[in-house]
Structure formats: structure tokens, C-alpha cells
Amino acid sequence: MPASISPALAATRTWVESFVVAHDVCPFAGRELARDTIRYTEVEVSEWEPALLTLIEECHRLDETPAIETTLLVLRHGLGDFDDYLDFLAVAEALMAEQGYEGIYQLASFHPDYCFEDAEPDDPANYTNRSPWPMLHLLREASLEQVLTHYADPEAIPERNIDVMRRLGAGHLAANLAKLRDKNAY
């Protein structure tokens, strides 16, 4: 990443290194981090339309640039409320399908207040999808399928992650996430 990156992108990269890779939340992230094939980009979402256009532009970029394996789209200024974020996510998923990207790219979703349906807000399991800033993660479906064929028991990844988060505890996880946001807020 360039030396002059925004605080939000710096926090996101630190989160990928110190949380996602360090706790093996995504067993494939370490390889992509080491290969420098993760694209980090930030988009203003106070108005949805330009942000959604940026999402599709990022799909085009992935189409045209095989050297980029995945993109983390950090969503700034406008989606702090988790319910608003979920509404935006639904529109983003519908737009990707409408643009012909269903089955080509998958959207993974992350938010500082992420809460799984039917989970308590303070359940540490929610931290598997909590991040310093609201974000969308664009993943290449073909790459995921290929990697998963070489990974023993991929169906167990979510349960393993939940166990790790519960062992770490909500207090520890919340403090670390808050540190990333506070240190890199602007």
C-alpha cells in the first residue's frame, strides 16, 4: 500500500494483519496478504448511487486485473448504523446480480456493529464479521472454489471461528477493534 493511505485504509490493513490473519479467521487471507493481491479502496457513502457505481467499477477492475485477488471496499461516512448498512448491502447484492456478476464475485460483509440474525449483540461470535469500518469484501468465486478444494473441512471454518471468538471474549475483541478505529479516526 502507498505511504499516503487514508487512516481508514490503514486501520483496515492493520485489522487484516492483526485480526483476520493472526486469528486465522479467513485461512486464505495470509497467502493473499503475503502476495500483496488484496486491493484496499475507500468510498464515500453519504450518497448511495456513487458508492454503488464504485462497487461495479471495482468488479470491472477485478475483471481486467487478474493480479488483484480480492478487494476490500471501505465504506465511509453514511453507514454507521448497522440496519442502514444491511439495506445498502441488499441493494449492492441486487445490483451485482443485475450487472451479471452473480456467481463471478461474492460479497462478504463487515461492519463495526455486525450482529448475526438471532444472535445477541454482545455475543463474541459477531466479531467474525466486525471490522473497523463498514466494508464490502469482493471475492472471486472461482478462486474460492479452487482454494476450498484444497482445504480440509471448509464447512467447519465458521464454527471454528466462533469458538476462537468466544475464547477471546467480547471485551478483548471490542477493545482491539476500538483501538483501530480511535487510532485511525479522522
Side-chain angles (χ1 to χ4, degrees):
M1 288 182 76
S4 61
I5 63 169
S6 76
L9 292 183
T12 300
R13 175 149 182 142
T14 300
W15 170 76
V16 168
E17 294 169 354
S18 67
F19 177 74
V20 176
V21 173
H23 295 295
D24 203 25
V25 175
C26 173
F28 325 115
R31 182 182 91 163
E32 300 314 322
L33 185 66
R35 293 172 56 201
D36 198 26
T37 59
I38 302 171
R39 176 172 159 76
Y40 301 82
T41 192
E42 184 174 349
V43 62
E44 171 76 34
V45 287
S46 56
E47 294 186 31
W48 287 17
E49 187 174 338
L52 292 165
L53 289 173
T54 300
L55 172 65
I56 298 304
E57 288 169 7
E58 288 301 319
C59 290
H60 294 312
R61 184 180 317 278
L62 287 170
D63 289 344
E64 298 164 1
T65 316
I68 300 170
E69 185 58 43
T70 189
T71 298
L72 288 171
L73 192 61
V74 178
L75 308 169
R76 297 282 292 143
H77 308 291
L79 294 175
D81 179 80
F82 185 56
D83 289 329
D84 291 345
Y85 170 81
L86 290 176
D87 291 343
F88 180 84
L89 175 62
V91 172
E93 289 173 333
L95 178 63
M96 287 183 60
E98 176 186 298
Q99 295 292 312
Y101 284 113
E102 191 170 31
I104 297 172
Y105 301 117
Q106 180 183 113
L107 274 182
S109 57
F110 299 91
H111 190 278
D113 297 322
Y114 200 97
C115 186
F116 289 103
E117 191 174 340
D118 299 326
E120 293 297 321
D122 61 349
D123 185 343
N126 293 314
Y127 282 88
T128 63
N129 287 65
R130 287 193 180 170
S131 57
W133 304 106
M135 72 177 75
L136 298 176
H137 183 187
L138 275 164
L139 300 136
R140 294 177 184 275
E141 291 256 352
S143 296
L144 269 177
E145 290 170 12
Q146 182 181 21
V147 168
L148 288 174
T149 62
H150 302 296
Y151 189 83
D153 200 14
E155 296 81 21
I157 294 170
E159 196 58 44
R160 183 190 58 78
N161 285 342
I162 289 169
D163 291 343
V164 169
M165 297 304 111
R166 289 183 175 152
R167 271 196 314 265
L168 290 170
H172 170 79
L173 293 164
N176 285 339
L177 196 58
K179 225 185 305 180
L180 281 174
R181 274 194 66 112
D182 293 344
K183 185 171 111 179
N184 294 289
Y186 62 95

